[in-house]
Amino acid sequence: MGVLEDLRKVTAAGGTLTFYRDNEPVDGIKDATDVDIGGTKHPLDATTNFYNDDAPQSLRAVVFCWLHNDASIVDYKNACAELGIPDFKFLVKTELATYLSGKSDACAFIKEDAADTTGKTDQLRDPQLERILANERESVDHNQALRGSKNIDFGYLISDAKKFAKSLKRAKPQSAPTNGKRSKSNLKPPIIIVSPATTALLQLSNVKAFLEDGAFVEPGHRPDTNLIMVSHPSEHLVSAAHKIMVVDNVDLFTKPEYWDRVCAIFTTGQAWQFSKYKYAQPEQLFQHYPGFHLGYSGEPAPAALASWNVREIKVDRGDKRFRDKMIVRDFWSDLEKILIARGYGK
């Protein structure tokens, strides 16, 4: 079991962490070198498999982030700067807190440990394998066979290559294609935004049940977390799109990359929702991002939606819940096409 799983057992159960320096207990993480997690001491500077900006993070950075779970992002970043501890972005911090609190069973920023490759050398020392290897002959492919036995001096090509390289440096650099596709190895989980309005039928409290299980339930109390992870494994999408972040607050979308990952926006038809969005005017917003409205069958949609380029999703009231799965299946079918167009397809 990894140190992050051990840490989650303690934090999810509301346990405490004890810090040490040279085997002596200390108050807080500032002067500590080790932390006791469930009865086992771990060095705080040990590297974990929690990643931020594609770099593995120390246990100190992970624990420090958890200790500031209830702090604002500004206070947290200031505290990190004061102690020289790497800080995490808002979405990274939020998902880590959700995982360590036990509210989520997985974290998109935790990578599996590399497979153990020890023992392979010993396998090659097997006597039978050594006899087989002793009788091996080096194979020759067609390229090697065509070279022949006569050495050919290709030195004249070096000077030509140097001239060509100089001409490339002098040439005006061409801009990269702007087709909206990103390197699949650098893709991060897509984001769905739901409305924070209390009248919205789809909220953080019921979005997981609706999109994962195909079961619509009336919205309840807003959860403590600002982010919900929704799983959607698909053979048509790369693994980065198998978990989708759902948020209802864009105040801390501090970098353009967050908006680059938005694949759907749910609205109630109230324009105030977009006052802090990348595009405040809904007519302009929904030219750049797919819009959806969840409403009840038989009830008229808000009049504003007619000019907003928003798709309507209708659920039934009462005991007609058997249609929920079909409605959600159709939604995922549309969303997968959106994700593929945005570079998340295999």
Side-chain angles (χ1 to χ4, degrees), residues 116-130 133:
D116 184 11
T117 58
T118 59
K120 291 187 178 179
T121 303
D122 293 337
Q123 294 176 9
L124 294 179
R125 296 173 189 257
D126 183 273
Q128 184 175 357
L129 285 176
E130 288 184 352
L133 292 173

Side-chain angles (χ1 to χ4, degrees), residues 26-225:
V26 294
D27 294 330
I29 195 174
K30 180 178 180 180
D31 300 316
T33 57
D34 303 274
V35 58
D36 185 304
I37 301 175
T40 303
K41 288 183 182 177
H42 297 270
L44 283 166
D45 292 332
T47 302
T48 70
N49 58 338
F50 181 84
Y51 280 69
N52 181 44
D53 289 333
D54 296 326
Q57 300 299 306
S58 68
L59 181 59
R60 184 184 301 275
V62 172
V63 172
F64 193 75
C65 181
W66 169 252
L67 294 177
H68 290 75
N69 178 36
D70 296 327
S72 69
I73 192 69
V74 175
D75 291 341
Y76 162 66
K77 287 180 177 289
N78 288 339
C80 287
E82 182 180 348
L83 298 183
I85 297 176
D87 62 83
F88 302 153
K89 300 172 185 175
F90 168 68
L91 290 180
V92 178
K93 178 179 182 292
T94 301
E95 185 166 354
L96 175 62
T98 303
Y99 172 73
L100 292 179
S101 65
K103 296 175 182 176
S104 173
D105 295 330
C107 177
F109 301 101
I110 295 178
K111 298 184 179 181
E112 295 295 332
D113 293 331
D116 184 11
T117 58
T118 59
K120 291 187 178 179
T121 303
D122 293 337
Q123 294 176 9
L124 294 179
R125 296 173 189 257
D126 183 273
Q128 184 175 357
L129 285 176
E130 288 184 352
R131 287 194 297 271
I132 295 173
L133 292 173
N135 293 307
E136 282 188 341
R137 294 293 180 267
E138 184 179 357
S139 61
V140 179
D141 61 24
H142 69 283
N143 289 325
Q144 292 173 314
L146 289 174
R147 289 175 183 170
S149 59
K150 182 180 179 181
N151 291 329
I152 301 176
D153 183 9
F154 291 98
Y156 70 95
L157 292 176
I158 297 177
S159 61
D160 290 346
K162 289 181 178 178
K163 292 178 182 178
F164 181 66
K166 288 182 180 179
S167 66
L168 286 178
K169 290 181 180 179
R170 289 193 298 267
K172 183 178 179 180
Q174 299 293 320
S175 59
T178 56
N179 57 1
K181 299 291 181 67
R182 293 161 285 173
S183 171
K184 295 187 186 298
S185 62
N186 296 326
L187 289 174
K188 296 183 179 179
I191 300 173
I192 293 176
I193 303 175
V194 297
S195 173
T198 56
T199 57
L201 291 190
L202 191 65
Q203 301 179 23
L204 291 184
S205 62
N206 65 348
V207 66
K208 192 174 183 70
F210 187 57
L211 295 184
E212 279 191 3
D213 305 328
F216 175 76
V217 294
E218 295 285 344
H221 293 294
R222 188 183 185 282
D224 295 334
T225 179

Side-chain angles (χ1 to χ4, degrees), residues 262-302:
V262 173
C263 60
I265 298 175
F266 279 84
T267 179
T268 58
Q270 298 168 299
W272 61 261
Q273 175 185 346
F274 318 119
S275 61
K276 296 183 180 179
Y277 282 27
K278 184 176 181 179
Y279 302 99
Q281 297 300 320
E283 292 84 0
Q284 184 182 14
L285 176 72
F286 293 118
Q287 293 300 321
H288 295 84
Y289 300 100
F292 295 88
H293 171 262
L294 185 67
Y296 284 122
S297 296
E299 293 186 359

